[in-house]
Amino acid sequence: MKKISLRKIFSFKWFLIIALVFFVLFIYSKLGPNNWSVVMMVDKPQIEKGWSDPKGVGINTGQWEDGAFISGDGSTLFYAYYPGDLINDLSIGKLKDDIDVYYSEKPFNGGKKHALSEDKWSEGGVMMSGGDIYYMSNRNRLETDDLYKNGQIIFDTLNKSEQDPHYCATKDELYFDAEGIIYVYKKNKSTALPSPINDGSRNIQPFLTPDCEQIYFASSRGDGVSKILRSNRILEDSWGEPELIVKSKYGVGEPTLTDNGKTMFFVQIFKSAKEVMNSDIFYVEKTAK
């Protein structure tokens, strides 16, 4: 049997190692530290049992897609768009542009700017109820948001930034959040929801099922990371202990469901190796009762 010298073996071994290193560097140069498909593979959200694996919608980009709302029949997705890293840009007080509302029709592969989007002002938190459109805008006060319905301000009484409106027609209740507290506006009065909905942590982005008996919302309780919770109404003004629905490493929010409750959309935040933040929209479908 012909002998192979150790020198050749080690030479070949180092050749493979060097080749592998160059291959990895080549792939990394192509993907880059902000390749969101790679980041998403690592940061898979944890979903409540009974839902499918999350799927991203075709409108997702390396920019900021947020404020998701799906129409009751599941045909149209409304969302807010910002061309950049919204969290970091807000932290340094320098926005590249205003935030605008877009919409996309199923299968959600392309978006169009909505007519309510205005230059200079930022809009978001869109939800539809019947023929009415609710949203938030800083048109009235540049540094804070107010709630609007069909282009008209609803109220300006809290002297706070009111955001994320959700109108539940069955009980004629308008839900929203202000400074991390969820409120309900009814009979011309705003009232903070009691514990366990508001618990001292940041609780925002309320979404009500059509019968107004379940509320989905985003909460930072526990570990300070935004997660999606669900609570059942017990009495007119009381709610049960929230259940965890979705969580991830850097945060999820903006829960929104079709009227039949079989499809849920939500927003997930990601962070790249270069500390760049990105927000994308995903959906899951019911797999069990």
Side-chain angles (χ1 to χ4, degrees), residues 195-196 212-214 231-241:
S195 175
C212 306
E213 294 299 319
Q214 284 189 328
S231 175
N232 296 315
R233 191 191 292 260
I234 299 175
L235 298 173
E236 187 66 20
D237 297 311
S238 63
W239 298 85
E241 190 65 34

Side-chain angles (χ1 to χ4, degrees), residues 55-60 70 74-77 104-111 265 283:
K55 297 179 181 178
V57 294
I59 59 174
N60 287 333
I70 187 66
S75 65
T76 308
L77 179 66
S104 178
E105 296 178 346
K106 200 171 183 178
F108 317 124
N109 288 327
F265 289 74
Y283 68 94

Side-chain angles (χ1 to χ4, degrees), residues 81-154:
Y81 174 79
Y82 172 75
D85 180 345
L86 183 60
I87 291 180
N88 285 334
D89 289 354
L90 283 173
S91 69
I92 62 175
K94 188 176 182 180
L95 296 183
K96 296 181 177 68
D97 199 352
D98 62 325
I99 303 169
D100 289 313
V101 170
Y102 282 69
Y103 67 97
S104 178
E105 296 178 346
K106 200 171 183 178
F108 317 124
N109 288 327
K112 298 179 181 178
K113 185 181 288 190
H114 196 281
L116 67 79
S117 296
E118 299 181 283
D119 290 337
K120 185 179 179 179
W121 314 118
S122 290
E123 303 84 19
V126 163
M127 75 87 51
M128 304 289 292
S129 178
D132 296 321
I133 182 167
Y134 294 79
Y135 63 101
M136 62 190 188
S137 173
N138 64 350
R139 182 207 295 179
N140 184 47
R141 299 177 295 175
L142 183 60
E143 299 301 321
T144 58
D145 292 310
D146 291 295
L147 305 183
Y148 285 78
K149 174 185 176 182
N150 300 330
Q152 300 297 318
I153 194 168
I154 299 175

Side-chain angles (χ1 to χ4, degrees), residues 35-84:
N35 183 270
W36 298 114
S37 61
V38 175
V39 173
M40 291 174 190
M41 288 175 62
V42 176
D43 190 5
K44 290 281 189 181
Q46 298 179 40
I47 315 291
E48 177 192 40
K49 186 177 180 181
W51 295 94
S52 66
D53 290 334
K55 297 179 181 178
V57 294
I59 59 174
N60 287 333
T61 66
Q63 308 303 313
W64 200 269
E65 288 83 23
D66 203 346
F69 176 78
I70 187 66
S71 60
D73 62 2
S75 65
T76 308
L77 179 66
F78 298 85
Y79 63 101
Y81 174 79
Y82 172 75

Side-chain angles (χ1 to χ4, degrees), residues 48 51 182 204-209 214-218 228-231 245 255-257 261 264 286:
E48 177 192 40
W51 295 94
I182 295 177
I204 58 175
Q205 300 161 357
F207 176 91
L208 279 289
T209 52
Q214 284 189 328
I215 182 171
Y216 290 73
F217 62 103
I228 294 173
L229 305 179
R230 178 184 61 220
S231 175
I245 306 301
T256 173
L257 289 82
M264 176 173 63
K286 275 285 188 182

